[in-house]
Amino acid sequence: AQLQADALLLESLDWAGAPSVTLRRNSPERVARLTSRAWVDAAQQWEANFWPESYRVVQNSGRGLIAQGNETWRDYGASATLTPALSAAFGLAVRVRGLRHYYALLLTPSGARLVRMRDQEYTLAEIALSVRPFEPVALTLEVSGTRLRATIDGCLVFDVVDAELLNGGVAIISEDGTVSADAVTIAPVAAATQTEITVRPGTARWS
């Protein structure tokens, strides 16, 4: 068959590395169901079709998560505004390779922790703050080489170096409760390494 002069024949298409994308519920409903299948479901219940927000993750006992991405994601930032509902803990994870393999920025009613989960959980840094049920909180967790930077409501709170986990996707975490989000934004960042470890509080949330 002949092709027109301005036609393009595409045999295959592939990509690697962290994308620049905002993940949220699509409409109509049938499209929303298809896009929700891109998430790995490791929570007791999660919805992407029936609530005002794009994602609602329910874990009544223990820790659950929904994840998206793969091992080609290395240096990137993930951002989301999360709203907890009586949760023991909730947060945003990066470099996720499984239920027990990730970095996470976790919030509880009385504090925030930056943790490394690699079979066992290790706290890299922590700080006291106040988190109220049903109050949205904006989180960003960035990984660049061995450096992790975390912000809460636009304030840099953790700037830490750790070289244990090298790659993986993004996740929303809920522990003993419910957390919701309207969107998750991912953007690549340039690779970098840092030698110092710092922790920086500084918003009205801090006691």
Side-chain angles (χ1 to χ4, degrees):
Q2 288 186 332
L3 298 177
Q4 296 179 357
D6 58 352
L8 174 65
L9 181 61
L10 181 65
E11 181 176 320
S12 63
L13 178 66
D14 195 10
W15 61 272
S20 294
V21 65
T22 295
L23 304 169
R24 59 163 47 96
R25 179 177 57 200
N26 299 87
S27 55
E29 184 178 328
R30 65 179 182 82
V31 179
R33 289 198 206 99
L34 289 173
T35 56
S36 67
R37 293 176 187 173
W39 291 86
V40 176
D41 179 6
Q44 186 172 355
Q45 180 184 6
W46 84 281
E47 304 288 353
N49 302 318
F50 306 110
W51 304 103
E53 61 273 5
S54 293
Y55 308 113
R56 182 173 291 193
V57 183
V58 180
Q59 186 72 22
N60 291 325
S61 178
R63 184 177 296 179
L65 58 83
I66 61 171
Q68 185 162 162
N70 59 44
E71 69 278 1
T72 68
W73 294 21
R74 294 181 61 90
D75 300 310
Y76 65 94
S79 301
T81 297
L82 304 181
T83 303
L86 304 176
S87 298
F90 67 96
L92 197 60
V94 296
R95 291 185 176 170
V96 180
R97 295 288 300 274
L99 297 180
R100 302 184 65 81
H101 187 113
Y102 53 77
Y103 291 116
L105 175 59
L106 296 177
L107 274 64
T108 69
S110 60
R113 295 188 300 138
L114 183 63
V115 305
R116 178 185 69 231
M117 173 68 81
R118 189 172 185 179
D119 297 325
Q120 295 183 340
E121 185 171 291
Y122 177 78
T123 298
L124 299 171
E126 60 185 336
I127 197 166
L129 70 138
S130 175
V131 178
R132 301 177 181 89
F134 309 106
E135 181 179 286
V137 54
L139 305 182
T140 296
L141 183 54
E142 183 180 283
V143 280
S144 180
T146 60
R147 185 178 185 181
L148 294 90
R149 292 162 52 91
T151 67
I152 299 176
D153 287 339
C155 178
L156 179 65
V157 292
F158 300 130
D159 191 340
V160 171
V161 169
D162 188 83
E164 289 291 317
L165 310 181
L166 301 178
N167 53 7
V170 65
I172 300 172
I173 292 177
S174 180
E175 183 175 329
D176 294 338
T178 300
V179 65
S180 59
D182 188 58
V184 179
T185 298
I186 296 106
V189 296
T193 58
Q194 285 287 99
T195 56
E196 74 273 13
I197 298 178
T198 59
V199 179
R200 303 173 184 170
T203 74
R205 289 182 179 274
W206 272 258
S207 54

